[in-house]
Amino acid sequence: MTLIFVNIFQKRTKMGPNKKAAKHRLSHETEREFGGTLGAVCIPIFLPLTVLFLICVSQSPEANVFQLPPRLPTTDQLWDPLAPMLLLGWIGLHALLYMMPLGKVSEGLVLRNGTRLKYPINGFHSLCISAVLLMLLLAFGAPLGYLFELLVPLAVSAIAVSFLFSIYLYVRSFWAPSHALALGGDTGNPLYDFFIGRELNPRVGNFDLKYFCELRPGLIGWVVINLGMLMKEVELRGSPSLSMILVNCFQLLYVADALWNEEAVLTTMDIVHDGFGFMLVFGDLAWVPFTYSLQASFLVVHPQTLSLLKAAVIVALNGVGYYIFRRSNSQKNQFRRDPTHPSVSGLETIATATGKRLLVSGWWGLVRHPNYLGDLLMALAWSLPCGFSHVLPYFYVIYFTILLIHREARDDRQCRAKYGLAWDTYCRRVPYRIFPYLY
Ligand code: NDP
């Protein structure tokens, strides 16, 4: 799951000419992302505050995101010594699971120096082992519902770890050879480079720090937080509500799917293109687990009654979204891996000057990003169990719509640069970007 969580802030700004730029600093790429230096200064201040603000709002009786002055935690809410211990223990556990000789080993794409890195594909094993450990903890009476009280201190700890880890990554990148730096992450501006990430694939021995953070501690942490919210509901009301069960199941399915298809992350923008800096570290370790779990924390304080009929409609919506999301992603992955495979060989395609072909029928003939359409339908299904009384549970679907519209525009630019006229032909054949007949 590529967590380009702050794409919404991404703007392309012109960078001033740097006459002394070393050759490897791609001075020909005269663009900085995320609002350049200003973005690199503001985002690391603004987004951590947003995380704390949203958690506080979700736990408050009013749950009003528009309340002025905005609701922020008091200083005594920020700290609990248990939080950093739990967080570091969790990260340590997943580091151990990562190193266990389980699952297969896959190679990433070819790097600039012609080599390919090896990655363990055992994220799904980590999820299963985490689930067994959690069940054991629950069987021994561990108060998992206490995660509700710990949310703010845990988020503060995750933010602090993100800053410290990003500083480490920035400093160590000066010992990396130039071919190991991300294009666009070595501008010479320390604030921007710290934010965007200098080194492409920082490793300690064989342990790949970026790949580890992408899908494991934060993503699995998200569903553990959800489970904690469910247990809090059980403490408060004796049993989990239907809404809480739906939110937990939907999001667990999404996370399990990402880990089951872990190999696909090796070709994403995050792994292939982006350096590992504050942007990705914070997104993986703080933004995803603490903002994607807002519906569950909201439901603890704002119980909803959901009829079976409404629940069935929501389940159907999530099912349709998941079906479109999975089938379209798998179709493209299969086509890119082996265009002669029987499941894709009958599809209509157009040739491009690069030798690669583009699908113009099947899912990719419906809209230009059917996978985003499916993802957005699921995002809506995760919010609907929370009713219509508050905006907060819809934060994810609103944020995600903006993110994916922006991401689509970014991908469109990149594909036009890659495929030129063939891309224009594809756009004429498939005029809608994400929503059929709408956009
Ligand atoms: P996509 O999987 O949509 O890949 C886009 C690439 O696919 C293009 O650059 C092009 O690459 C190829 N492509 C585009 N059109 C065609 C075509 N017609 N035929 C063949 N190939 C084509 O990229 P993302 O990484 O943005 O999305 C992956 C998934 O991750 C999506 O389902 C998305 O919803 C999800 N996601 C989730 C997020 C979250 O926080 N939950 C955040 C971001 C994404 P090329 O031609 O070089 O192969």
Side-chain angles (χ1 to χ4, degrees):
M1 153 138 5
T2 178
L3 302 169
I4 312 296
F5 65 102
V6 274
N7 263 6
I8 40 177
F9 297 97
Q10 184 171 359
K11 289 213 170 71
R12 297 184 162 247
T13 53
K14 294 286 172 196
M15 187 169 76
N18 180 357
K19 287 178 197 154
K20 289 185 183 163
K23 266 191 179 170
H24 66 267
R25 268 192 201 157
L26 273 213
S27 47
H28 60 276
E29 285 198 353
T30 53
E31 287 176 316
R32 287 188 190 176
E33 300 191 294
F34 297 95
T37 312
L38 185 64
V41 173
C42 295
I43 293 171
I45 298 169
F46 175 71
L47 284 192
L49 289 176
T50 305
V51 172
L52 299 180
F53 162 74
L54 290 169
I55 297 173
C56 288
V57 173
S58 77
Q59 296 185 330
S60 70
E62 313 81 32
N64 181 1
V65 273
F66 303 113
Q67 184 180 320
L68 285 175
R71 185 176 273 272
L72 280 173
T74 56
T75 40
D76 56 320
Q77 283 176 297
L78 292 175
W79 174 247
D80 186 321
L82 186 57
M85 280 162 53
L86 277 181
L87 184 81
L88 294 176
W90 178 250
I91 296 175
L93 167 72
H94 278 279
L96 282 178
L97 294 175
Y98 175 99
M99 290 185 288
M100 282 182 42
L102 292 171
K104 63 175 182 177
V105 173
S106 265
E107 287 193 324
L109 297 185
V110 180
L111 299 173
R112 291 210 300 282
N113 65 352
T115 61
R116 296 172 80 167
L117 294 171
K118 289 191 164 55
Y119 298 88
I121 308 295
N122 59 12
F124 193 75
H125 300 79
S126 299
L127 177 69
C128 295
I129 294 171
S130 308
V132 171
L133 292 176
L134 281 168
M135 290 311 130
L136 284 175
L137 281 176
L138 284 174
F140 285 109
L144 214 61
Y146 190 57
L147 281 179
F148 179 77
E149 277 81 17
L150 272 187
L151 269 186
V152 168
L154 274 173
V156 169
S157 305
I159 292 164
V161 166
S162 303
F163 272 103
L164 293 174
F165 189 35
S166 309
I167 292 170
Y168 161 75
L169 289 167
Y170 179 70
V171 171
R172 64 163 270 157
S173 70
F174 287 95
W175 277 266
S178 62
H179 66 75
L181 300 181
L183 300 179
D186 182 30
T187 65
N189 178 326
L191 290 171
Y192 182 77
D193 292 349
F194 163 82
F195 170 75
I196 207 82
R198 287 188 88 233
E199 201 174 345
L200 189 58
N201 304 297
R203 286 187 160 210
V204 178
N206 283 334
F207 193 102
D208 192 293
L209 298 169
K210 181 165 66 169
Y211 174 72
F212 168 70
C213 288
E214 274 287 299
L215 294 184
R216 290 152 191 254
L219 206 65
I220 302 176
W222 165 23
V223 288
V224 174
I225 292 174
N226 281 348
L227 180 63
M229 301 306 109
L230 184 146
M231 294 312 295
K232 184 70 190 177
E233 227 192 16
V234 174
E235 269 175 37
L236 292 174
R237 300 183 197 101
S239 61
S241 64
L242 183 54
S243 299
M244 183 67 97
I245 293 172
L246 289 187
V247 166
N248 266 260
C249 291
F250 292 163
Q251 298 185 349
L252 178 60
L253 170 72
Y254 191 74
V255 169
D257 178 89
L259 290 163
W260 182 260
N261 296 289
E262 189 179 23
E263 209 171 351
V265 85
L266 298 180
T267 54
T268 60
M269 224 188 294
D270 292 14
I271 297 291
V272 176
H273 176 267
D274 294 334
F276 197 34
F278 181 83
M279 176 188 78
L280 281 181
V281 172
F282 173 79
D284 291 341
L285 300 182
W287 182 262
V288 167
F290 294 100
T291 64
Y292 287 23
S293 56
L294 282 173
Q295 286 113 348
S297 63
F298 169 86
L299 285 173
V300 172
V301 187
H302 310 87
Q304 306 288 320
T305 43
L306 194 62
S307 69
L308 281 178
L309 179 65
K310 279 186 192 156
V313 172
I314 295 171
V315 170
L317 179 67
N318 194 68
V320 171
Y322 179 71
Y323 182 76
I324 298 174
F325 165 85
R326 175 61 19 241
R327 293 305 293 264
S328 56
N329 273 322
S330 298
Q331 190 171 69
K332 177 168 65 67
N333 289 345
Q334 185 61 61
F335 181 69
R336 280 288 173 250
R337 267 208 312 272
D338 176 13
T340 61
H341 191 274
S343 65
V344 288
S345 60
L347 295 171
E348 194 188 344
T349 60
I350 48 176
T352 75
T354 64
K356 273 184 174 178
R357 302 186 75 86
L358 289 168
L359 290 164
V360 282
S361 67
W363 289 106
W364 297 79
L366 175 71
V367 282
R368 301 210 290 266
H369 266 98
N371 49 353
Y372 290 1
L373 174 66
D375 223 338
L376 287 170
L377 292 179
M378 282 192 284
L380 181 60
W382 302 351
S383 302
L384 290 174
C386 302
F388 297 104
S389 54
H390 294 80
V391 174
L392 182 96
Y394 292 83
F395 168 79
Y396 178 73
V397 65
I398 296 168
Y399 141 83
F400 202 44
T401 305
I402 299 169
L403 183 148
L404 289 184
I405 286 177
H406 185 268
R407 195 174 169 91
E408 195 284 330
R410 203 182 169 207
D411 192 51
D412 182 70
R413 263 200 309 272
Q414 287 176 4
C415 286
R416 183 156 287 110
K418 254 186 297 188
Y419 300 126
L421 283 177
W423 187 253
D424 291 332
T425 310
Y426 174 56
C427 294
R428 273 196 302 278
R429 286 283 305 270
V430 186
Y432 295 100
R433 294 165 188 264
I434 301 176
F435 304 102
Y437 305 107
L438 285 177
Y439 175 76

